[in-house]
Amino acid sequence: MSSMQSVGYGDGDVALARTFGRIWWVFLATGILWLLFSIVVFRFDYTTVSAISILFGVVAIMAGVNEFIVAFASSGWWKAARLALALAFVAIGVVAFVHPGGTFKALAAVISFYFIVKGIFDVTISILAKDMLAVWWLHLLLGIAEILIGFWAAGNFGNRVILLVIWVGVIALTRGIGEIFLAFSLRSAGKEAAAA
């Protein structure tokens, strides 16, 4: 019996770990791309709410597509959770595109909703997968940070366009960090499953 099976994982979980363990580098590559994108966001000067809204819509839809890809490679409750998150991100992105010239307050509300949904998802996944992922606590800290940023974005801080840019950049930054953590977690889980 493998060590993964000795802690209560079935054959399906071991097979899933092997599958994701082989493609861990995809998550590393997407994590690096998210980090590079965050640098681009922080470097540009966005002066209108509509430009930032379109940028955020692109980020949210890209995050949704990313979650769809992960969902179709998953099974069980992971698949359902990832599909729900992907649909939420795409819906949030579409809302950002519908009224790109909206007010600061409306866009901040959409961004805060994104952070809170993503943060709750990351906290839940980190707790549920703590026996499977060695760095589960990093996902927990990332989720808590996202929830706190979501509540910060929901607050009324006046018409500060720079905060919108910061929040969109932080979304890309946290996605990148999360993808890189996930890549190395999947790599170690894949090695353990292959040794089984």
Side-chain angles (χ1 to χ4, degrees):
M1 182 182 296
S2 75
S3 61
M4 289 184 81
Q5 289 172 328
S6 68
V7 292
Y9 297 113
D11 290 334
D13 292 328
V14 174
L16 187 62
R18 282 186 188 134
T19 300
F20 276 115
R22 285 191 292 266
I23 60 167
W24 68 273
W25 57 271
V26 172
F27 296 99
L28 179 63
T30 57
I32 291 169
L33 289 174
W34 278 109
L35 291 178
L36 293 174
F37 184 74
S38 72
I39 292 169
V40 169
V41 170
F42 288 131
R43 298 286 301 160
F44 277 84
D45 181 25
Y46 300 98
T47 56
T48 66
V49 174
S50 62
I52 298 167
S53 183
I54 291 169
L55 177 69
F56 172 69
V58 169
V59 169
I61 290 173
M62 285 177 10
V65 168
N66 196 29
E67 292 298 329
F68 272 123
I69 292 168
V70 173
F72 286 112
S74 301
S75 65
W77 65 270
W78 284 94
K79 184 173 197 143
R82 292 286 183 179
L83 281 174
L85 189 62
L87 290 173
F89 287 169
V90 169
I92 290 168
V94 169
V95 167
F97 280 132
V98 170
H99 297 291
T103 65
F104 175 90
K105 193 172 184 177
L107 184 56
V110 172
I111 291 173
S112 70
F113 184 70
Y114 172 91
F115 272 120
I116 291 170
V117 168
K118 178 73 167 76
I120 290 170
F121 180 81
D122 283 343
V123 167
T124 304
I125 293 300
S126 68
I127 292 169
L128 292 174
K130 72 178 180 179
D131 293 331
M132 204 162 78
L133 300 175
V135 291
W136 67 271
W137 56 274
L138 290 173
H139 275 283
L140 178 67
L141 292 176
L142 185 63
I144 292 169
E146 287 168 336
I147 291 169
L148 292 174
I149 293 168
F151 282 108
W152 176 40
N156 186 6
F157 295 97
N159 292 333
R160 297 188 185 155
V161 175
I162 189 69
L163 284 178
L164 292 175
V165 174
I166 289 170
W167 293 331
V168 172
V170 169
I171 289 171
L173 186 64
T174 58
R175 290 290 307 190
I177 292 168
E179 293 280 317
I180 291 170
F181 287 157
L182 179 63
F184 288 110
S185 297
L186 292 174
R187 182 178 180 214
S188 71
K191 283 184 177 181
E192 187 177 333

